Amino acid sequence: MPFYHPPFYSSALEQAIDRYPLTAGPDTSLVVAIALMSQLQNSCPLPKTPLPSDRGVLQELGPSEKMRARCVLVVHNHQMAAAGNLSENPSRGLLIGILTPADLVRLIASGKIDTQKKVALRKIPISEVMSPASVSLTESDDQDVFAALSLFRQHGIRYLPIVNQFRHLVGVLTRERIRQVLQPSNILKLRRVAELMTTPITAPHTASLLTIAQLMSQHQVSCVVITKNKELTMEKPKNDHTSIFHYSFQQPLGIITEYDIVQAQFLELDFEKTAVQKVMVTPLLLIKPADSLWTAHKQMQQEQVQRLVVCGGRGELLGIITQTSLLRVLDPTEMYRVVKQLQHSVYQLQAEKVELLQSRNTKLEQQVRERTAKLHEQVQRDRLLTQIALRIHQSLNLEEILHASVDEVRQVLQADRVAILHLESSNSGIVVAESVAEDWSSILGEIFPDTMWQEGESVQDQQIYAVPQIDQATLSAEKYARFQKAQIKAYLIVPILQDSNLWGMMCVHQCSKSRQWQSSEVDLLLQLATQVAIAIQQAQLYQQVQNLNTDLERQVQERTAELQQKVHELQHLNIIKDEFLSTVSHELRTPLANMKMAIHMLKVSPTQERRQVYLEILEKECTRETDLINALLDLQRLEAAACPIDLEPVNLQVWLPNIIEPFYTRAQNRHQHLVVEFPANLPTINSNRASLGRILAELLNNACKYTANEGEIALRVKSKGIKKRPGKPASVLKPEIEFTVRNESEIPKEELPRIFEKFYRVPNADPWKQGGTGLGLALAQKLVEQLEGKIEVESGNGNTTFTVTFPANPDRPLVN
């Protein structure tokens, strides 16, 4: 008596189970697993190779091999599993894992299976690369096909193992087998391919197999569509010439699935050098987006495929429809809703049939047809509005939305041409989007005056125009000729309003014959125009946000650069401050130390002569300290502009000798030669005597300090003026007084830019160790700037020359 009692399933689930799946033990090598999957019937054009034998493999071949699952189930075999009597022992062992083509593609893409080095896959057991069978369906009397569909949808799997209560393998379920046993014709006939198609992953026909495997692994897809870029050149008559438009799109050439990758690995092809066009499936099985899902279902069954490529009228790739998409329609909630809707329709038709039998049959049949047409029209209109609203929320590309809108409107209204006209000025507009049938010309890009549509019968008061036949409309000869050129025989126009302003017009043209426009068609266009207006506003707001973000980023970058510049400046100022404090503290402490030493020596000095020496040192250092403090205070007042300057007339002829006299004695003491030159007719200038004297004293003091014995120091004063351009009367425009101090010593060129800095002294320029504070030239520069003059320095060929220039008194003429 057998111990196994098969459960009672629903007929659909019973038929869908693959009871002869590919199984293998955990020690089976990976090369054998690949061989098992590659031997199943598929559409790959590669040649077949005999299946290698391996220990631990259970090779089971069932009657429905063309529908078998392309995966290997890993089981821990019991002794009874080797008996081979599947009718008495349906259990094939304890289920421990599963290996799918997607797992192999992921291993190839990640490099764990190296297709170039030909790693010995016989040494890799299947247990190392399999996925755990975490999702399975336990056989029981209350299971049905919808429970399996729920597991497929919930976990996103492609294979569902069936196990008994002891977790022994019974079989496997796939979406393809479920789809083949279910025949939901009523549900699938109501849905279009365009509703469920998805955007496929594409690759050029020059790509390698390794690139395809990486794309499948990265995007977790089971197939890749191979395409090539195709360009079409279209001619359109425009006025007295022909415009040429170029249309570019992706044309599908073939398709490659993960099963093709598995077979290529089984054949040990070089994935990097093998082009995908040698392996891809051709010819493609194509379907149109307007076809029903029932048509797709039948085509999949007839051709024994799991996916169809969706193409447009020119052969352009639009999407892909798979068996997963078809099974989504079989969701219990969706089916329940459709069934309830069909039941409601049946009840309504029954009630109408009773009423028709009680009254005039002909009249009531006509009413039924009218109601059915209106219902179909309402469904189409709601579907169109839903699709366009969805596209508006999913995309901010205005051009894409406009072209999708005109395509949908033309399909629903069965019109010859649908166009959107944008008013770019107050009196003209341009056609920015168009959908036109093949038999009629295009008006895309043409410009029309705003008065082009304003003749004819107006349906409402908001610039809605409905003209059933232009031959009967009161049109001018020029407008009638324009309509004839555009092949228009009837038109319907509704406005596109944005913030109560007219943005443009949505135009429906009938070119083959006249047409009586219905109020429902006008309402549909008005609702669509509202959706388009929303799309326009969203696109404009998005662009404004992008512009604001760009401007904000630019401002942030500018502010950041300014802040960095300020930080650098503050760091530089901080360094200058530290150097200044260090120098000032040193210069102040040095005289104080000498004074302290002199005072101490005065206390302990035994003789009057020594005391006199220390008193002189004390007086000298005290004077030095006083001069330093006064120089610092003067420099601070000049930098802060806190000390106003009083100008007075200065007679240079009388004033200069008094300033220069002390430096004659100093030069004689050091055996230096002081040369002074200035003309007898120097003018009177407006200046400050103390500041001017301080400037000349600092310059002469430096010249004496850094000039060697027997060296020459020269002071020259002269007046000069800038004359007008040649051809003009000679007259002095800007009279100036120039003071030049030259001495025989040279400053290195690299040190010249720093000689006016506070406390800066040229290194190794004072061999006589006369000392100094380094404030003289800085103070002289500030005084020159306060007197509105300029100071310059030049050094070379063993000489250094300071030149100070001041404006002269304009009341007295200058003589050069």
Side-chain angles (χ1 to χ4, degrees), residues 373-556:
K374 290 182 179 179
L375 180 62
H376 179 72
E377 179 183 346
Q378 181 66 31
V379 170
Q380 290 289 82
R381 182 173 68 179
D382 292 344
R383 183 180 65 84
L384 174 63
L385 291 174
T386 302
Q387 288 182 350
I388 294 179
L390 181 62
R391 292 191 182 186
I392 289 175
H393 291 293
Q394 290 180 343
S395 175
L396 293 172
N397 189 330
L398 181 58
E399 182 179 358
E400 178 181 347
I401 295 173
L402 295 180
H403 282 86
S405 301
V406 294
D407 287 338
E408 295 290 347
V409 172
R410 191 174 71 85
Q411 181 179 350
V412 172
L413 296 183
Q414 296 298 311
D416 296 327
R417 184 193 294 122
V418 177
I420 292 180
L421 183 77
H422 174 45
L423 298 179
E424 294 187 339
S425 62
S426 59
N427 57 2
S428 65
I430 184 172
V431 179
V432 294
E434 178 193 49
S435 176
V436 60
E438 296 181 356
D439 298 335
W440 310 106
S441 61
S442 172
I443 61 172
L444 184 64
E446 292 193 9
I447 300 175
F448 293 90
D450 61 343
T451 58
M452 190 70 183
W453 320 102
Q454 296 179 3
E455 298 186 27
E457 180 183 357
S458 178
V459 178
Q460 298 181 9
D461 296 333
Q462 46 179 325
Q463 297 182 350
I464 300 175
Y465 303 100
V467 176
Q469 187 173 358
I470 65 170
D471 293 336
Q472 297 179 0
T474 56
L475 301 175
S476 64
E478 180 182 356
K479 294 180 180 179
Y480 183 79
R482 189 71 178 269
F483 281 122
Q484 288 289 337
K485 182 179 179 181
Q487 300 175 317
I488 301 173
K489 292 188 176 181
Y491 62 83
L492 173 62
I493 308 296
V494 297
I496 300 176
L497 300 176
Q498 186 179 19
D499 297 332
S500 301
N501 296 321
L502 184 62
W503 183 89
M505 314 284 282
M506 181 172 287
C507 313
V508 180
H509 299 161
Q510 200 68 31
C511 302
S512 58
K513 59 183 178 180
S514 60
R515 178 169 178 171
Q516 190 67 36
W517 304 104
Q518 305 298 321
S519 59
S520 60
E521 296 171 341
V522 177
D523 294 338
L524 174 62
L525 281 186
L526 284 174
Q527 295 182 52
L528 289 176
T530 302
Q531 295 294 336
V532 171
I534 295 174
I536 295 171
Q537 188 173 13
Q538 287 182 347
Q540 291 176 347
L541 290 176
Y542 176 75
Q543 186 62 39
Q544 291 177 2
V545 170
Q546 291 294 99
N547 294 337
L548 289 175
N549 288 339
T550 302
D551 185 62
L552 182 60
E553 291 177 358
R554 180 183 57 80
Q555 292 182 7
V556 169

Side-chain angles (χ1 to χ4, degrees), residues 575-591 624 628 632 754 757-761 772-775:
I575 294 173
I576 294 177
K577 180 199 69 174
D578 293 341
E579 294 178 353
F580 174 76
L581 292 177
S582 176
T583 305
V584 168
S585 62
H586 173 74
E587 293 295 335
L588 289 175
R589 284 197 301 266
T590 299
R624 178 181 175 185
L628 177 60
L632 285 173
R754 300 191 61 187
E757 294 180 7
K758 293 179 290 187
F759 296 106
Y760 180 77
R761 302 181 65 189
T773 63
L775 295 176

